[in-house]
Amino acid sequence: MADIKSSANPLFLREEELRQGIELLFYAYRDFTSDPDSILADYGLGRAHHRVLHFVGRNPKISVAELLGILRITKQSLSRVLTTLLEMGLVQQRQGTRDRRQRLLSLTEKGAELERRLSAVQQARVARAYREAGAEAVAGYRKVLQGLIDENEREKILQSIVRR
Amino acid sequence: MADIKSSANPLFLREEELRQGIELLFYAYRDFTSDPDSILADYGLGRAHHRVLHFVGRNPKISVAELLGILRITKQSLSRVLTTLLEMGLVQQRQGTRDRRQRLLSLTEKGAELERRLSAVQQARVARAYREAGAEAVAGYRKVLQGLIDENEREKILQSIVRR
DNA sequence: GACTTTATGTCAGCCATGTTGACATATATC
DNA sequence: GATATATGTCAACATGGCTGACATAAAGTC
């Protein structure tokens, strides 16, 4: 076991490198999510609401099922936050035309406004990091993050991100 | 407002780029945290326990205050998960020598074993992403993640990651 | 040596957000 | 007409954040 950690062993360096990549992701995500929280608190909303606002904003007329697929939570969990957002007039739903069982979700103007406020602070942080790191680094950042996504879903997700 | 979204406006591209960077981070983190969850479930543990195992593993003899600083949670929240880990014999505490009020935390052999299991799956995912993306991309990934961390804490965190 | 600050713990209760299971309804599809 | 699908709802529970209040032991200060 001590052998594995010996600095003569290339595996040690490799493991350290991976650990660093993991911790960086933890810290970056921790701070990245902290910005919108204070804004959300003013509305009595949480991160779950933010995620819904974000993905509904990005995907107007998204169905409940699609949204569930993105968020990977149960419909009961989604229902709770969605009900709040509907009651607050931040999200609106319309019956699907092709399939009238579907409830297609979109942001209201008020919802879009809040979403923009939330995006703004998050984008500011990302913009700063991009600026400091440079275009080449940004390409690498994206490449690695893509590789971290589950392989079987990656294609679908990338399309949903880049399309539009 | 419509002007801002016109494709003639360079800000549009920029905003799209930022949005993509944000969504990639969301998806990557979502999947990145999913791996250890099934292992943890076997022990009746959750992500909060994982975070403690990770940072105690990385920082043997860490004090409670230091750990609180990393995790950014309250002592009451930490207390809950820490008590469980102590009772399960995964973490041990020893009185500080310089300051006997401190309880310095370390993993037990059993705790280290579990931590390795959890690390392993997470490292496997990161290793795959690194391999696919290449060394240059990895450097960019790290650079951008560093830039996402709160500026006032960045130096301290980077030292704690790279040191050792 | 008394006083204050610090590191830590504990009890109690609240809230947000995830889960499962069971059942209901409307619509689409074969 | 029977079955499958999209969605909703009720109820109960678990995890992991939070605040507030109070306790204790040790360290540091005058």
Side-chain angles (χ1 to χ4, degrees):
Chain A
M1 193 55 68
D3 263 353
I4 290 176
K5 299 237 165 169
S6 124
S7 59
N9 191 323
L11 284 180
F12 175 53
L13 264 182
R14 177 155 188 70
E15 181 173 343
E16 267 314 298
E17 210 185 343
L18 295 173
R19 279 188 178 273
Q20 291 175 17
I22 287 170
E23 291 198 19
L24 278 175
L25 190 53
F26 166 80
Y27 286 113
Y29 196 82
R30 181 193 70 172
D31 292 348
F32 164 79
T33 52
S34 74
D35 289 325
D37 284 357
S38 51
I39 297 174
L40 289 160
D42 296 345
Y43 291 75
L45 300 175
R47 266 181 219 177
H49 302 96
H50 183 196
R51 289 193 284 266
V52 171
L53 286 173
H54 177 93
F55 285 106
V56 171
R58 278 282 278 172
N59 306 274
K61 298 193 183 171
I62 191 175
S63 72
V64 171
E66 283 178 288
L67 191 50
L68 286 175
I70 290 175
L71 299 175
R72 290 243 187 107
I73 57 175
T74 58
K75 61 178 176 175
Q76 294 91 329
S77 296
L78 175 57
S79 166
R80 213 168 14 205
V81 292
L82 200 47
T83 300
T84 307
L85 293 173
L86 288 164
E87 283 171 353
M88 289 175 74
L90 298 169
V91 169
Q92 60 191 344
Q93 53 187 5
R94 281 197 326 200
Q95 219 178 30
T97 48
R98 232 187 41 197
D99 184 337
R100 286 183 306 174
R101 289 170 304 183
Q102 292 186 329
R103 302 216 179 164
L104 306 182
L105 307 168
S106 308
L107 298 185
T108 62
E109 184 42 46
K110 200 174 139 199
E113 223 170 275
L114 173 55
E115 199 280 323
R116 278 192 294 271
R117 271 188 72 194
L118 295 168
S119 280
V121 291
Q122 230 163 21
Q123 286 183 19
R125 182 182 290 264
V126 175
R128 196 197 57 192
Y130 275 18
R131 207 181 315 119
E132 286 173 10
E136 208 176 304
V138 169
Y141 162 83
R142 295 176 51 133
K143 215 166 174 184
V144 172
L145 285 189
Q146 286 176 26
L148 289 174
I149 296 173
D150 275 351
E151 215 158 6
N152 52 325
E153 260 201 316
R154 197 179 304 164
E155 262 317 301
K156 210 188 74 193
I157 289 176
L158 290 184
Q159 276 171 23
S160 89
I161 292 179
V162 176
R163 171 172 48 94
R164 279 163 305 166
Chain B
M1 195 56 66
D3 264 353
I4 290 175
K5 299 235 165 170
S6 125
S7 60
N9 190 322
L11 285 180
F12 175 54
L13 263 182
R14 176 157 188 70
E15 181 173 343
E16 266 313 297
E17 211 186 341
L18 295 173
R19 279 188 177 275
Q20 290 174 18
I22 288 170
E23 291 198 20
L24 278 175
L25 190 53
F26 167 80
Y27 286 113
Y29 196 81
R30 181 193 71 173
D31 292 347
F32 163 79
T33 52
S34 75
D35 290 324
D37 284 358
S38 50
I39 297 174
L40 289 160
D42 296 345
Y43 291 76
L45 300 175
R47 266 181 217 176
H49 302 95
H50 182 196
R51 289 193 283 266
V52 172
L53 287 173
H54 176 94
F55 285 107
V56 171
R58 278 283 277 173
N59 306 274
K61 299 195 182 169
I62 191 175
S63 71
V64 171
E66 283 179 288
L67 192 49
L68 286 175
I70 290 175
L71 299 175
R72 290 242 187 108
I73 59 176
T74 58
K75 61 178 177 175
Q76 294 91 330
S77 296
L78 175 57
S79 166
R80 215 171 10 207
V81 292
L82 200 48
T83 300
T84 308
L85 293 172
L86 287 164
E87 283 172 352
M88 290 176 73
L90 298 169
V91 169
Q92 60 191 345
Q93 54 187 5
R94 281 198 324 203
Q95 220 178 29
T97 47
R98 233 187 38 196
D99 185 335
R100 286 181 305 172
R101 290 170 304 182
Q102 291 187 330
R103 302 215 180 165
L104 306 183
L105 308 167
S106 308
L107 297 185
T108 62
E109 183 43 45
K110 201 174 141 199
E113 221 170 277
L114 172 55
E115 199 281 322
R116 279 193 294 271
R117 271 188 73 195
L118 296 168
S119 279
V121 291
Q122 231 163 19
Q123 286 184 17
R125 183 182 289 263
V126 175
R128 197 197 56 192
Y130 275 18
R131 208 181 314 121
E132 286 174 9
E136 209 175 305
V138 170
Y141 162 82
R142 295 175 51 133
K143 216 166 175 184
V144 173
L145 286 189
Q146 286 175 26
L148 289 174
I149 296 173
D150 274 352
E151 216 158 5
N152 52 325
E153 260 202 315
R154 198 180 304 165
E155 263 317 300
K156 209 187 75 192
I157 289 176
L158 290 183
Q159 277 170 24
S160 90
I161 292 178
V162 176
R163 172 172 45 93
R164 281 162 303 164

